[in-house]
């Protein structure tokens, strides 16, 4: 009989917006698919004021990312029902053995705090129909089903440089943002996770 050893402990998780100097370590530790430069594209959106590209760091190594899309989900079905609702998008934790350790929740809470501080009372996120693990997390931390279904469309360059287009069935969940915070800030104002 084989047993899996428990995951190694990680140090405190620091969550902050991405900086230009983060792009190389992000690609090294959380590689983009194929030839897509996902982190650079997200950083560019942040630099143009369209998003906030959040990064999670443990022991000086990036372990997760998420972004706040300030104009909301691009799907017309979502825009029609939730205009002006910022969206948490692209949540990812890497390597996989760090999942279910509170990093994703900390990224979401950091996003919620920023959205609340910007004066929004509602935040949303999309989840693919087949991502049951993520759905369970979102419902557990207070997001609710809306009945708003759409196709999550995105594209990437594969290893040969060929553009691949994807359309995943998804649904949009929302959470009302009341007073209070979802995390802790250190004396410098940086969001701290678990």
């Amino acid at each position: 009989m084989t047993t899996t050893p428990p995951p190694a402990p990680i140090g405190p998780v620091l969550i902050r917006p991405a900086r230009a100097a983060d792009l190389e370590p992000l690609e090294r530790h959380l590689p983009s698919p194929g030839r897509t430069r996902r982190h650079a594209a997200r950083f560019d959106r942040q630099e143009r004021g369209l998003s906030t590209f959040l990064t999670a760091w443990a022991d000086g190594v990036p372990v997760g990312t998420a972004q706040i899309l300030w104009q909301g989900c691009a799907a017309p079905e979502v825009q029609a029902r939730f205009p002006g609702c910022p969206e948490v998008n692209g949540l990812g934790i890497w390597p996989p053995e760090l999942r279910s350790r509170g990093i994703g929740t900390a990224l979401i809470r950091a996003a919620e705090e920023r959205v609340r501080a910007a004066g929004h009372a509602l935040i949303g996120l999309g989840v693919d129909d087949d991502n049951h693990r993520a759905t369970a997390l979102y419902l557990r931390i207070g997001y609710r089903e809306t009945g708003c279904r759409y196709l999550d469309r995105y594209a990437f360059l594969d290893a040969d440089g060929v553009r691949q287009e994807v359309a995943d069935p998804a649904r949009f969940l929302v959470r009302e943002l009341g007073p209070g915070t979802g995390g802790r800030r250190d004396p410098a104002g940086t969001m701290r996770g678990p």
Side-chain angles (χ1 to χ4, degrees):
M1 180 165 117
T2 334
T3 59
T4 304
I10 61 172
V13 176
L14 168 71
I15 296 174
R16 62 170 172 75
R19 302 173 186 152
D22 297 338
L23 296 179
E24 188 277 323
L26 283 166
E27 280 301 332
R28 187 172 62 240
H29 294 281
L30 292 89
S32 296
R35 293 186 183 174
T36 302
R37 303 292 295 173
R38 175 177 26 209
H39 305 301
R42 290 177 179 176
F43 182 73
D44 179 61
R45 269 193 296 276
Q46 176 177 271
E47 290 296 289
R48 292 184 289 135
L50 301 174
S51 71
T52 300
F53 181 26
L54 296 173
T55 56
W57 300 78
D59 301 321
V61 174
V63 294
T65 61
Q67 62 181 338
I68 304 165
L69 298 178
W70 291 106
Q71 295 174 335
C73 178
E77 301 88 343
V78 177
Q79 283 289 324
R81 288 200 44 202
F82 301 98
C85 176
E87 178 192 24
V88 177
N89 181 275
L91 177 66
I93 309 302
W94 194 260
E97 53 270 12
L98 291 180
R99 294 178 184 150
S100 297
R101 311 256 317 261
I103 299 167
T105 299
L107 279 162
I108 292 168
R109 295 301 190 217
E112 290 171 353
E113 182 175 297
R114 288 177 178 277
V115 168
R116 182 184 301 109
H120 296 274
L122 189 70
I123 189 170
L125 52 79
V127 61
D128 290 353
D129 285 350
D130 62 355
N131 195 343
H132 305 290
R133 186 176 182 167
T135 300
L137 165 66
Y138 303 148
L139 294 173
R140 186 173 63 249
I141 64 173
Y143 285 77
R144 66 176 170 79
E145 295 280 0
T146 64
C148 184
R149 303 190 51 72
Y150 66 102
L151 287 177
D152 183 15
R153 298 179 186 277
Y154 61 95
F156 67 94
L157 296 178
D158 66 18
D160 297 321
V162 176
R163 181 180 169 91
Q164 301 293 323
E165 296 193 17
V166 181
D168 292 325
R171 59 193 193 263
F172 197 70
L173 309 179
V174 296
R175 181 167 189 256
E176 286 81 18
L177 299 175
T181 61
R184 304 177 310 279
R185 288 198 176 272
D186 67 13
T190 303
M191 191 71 178
R192 296 279 174 182

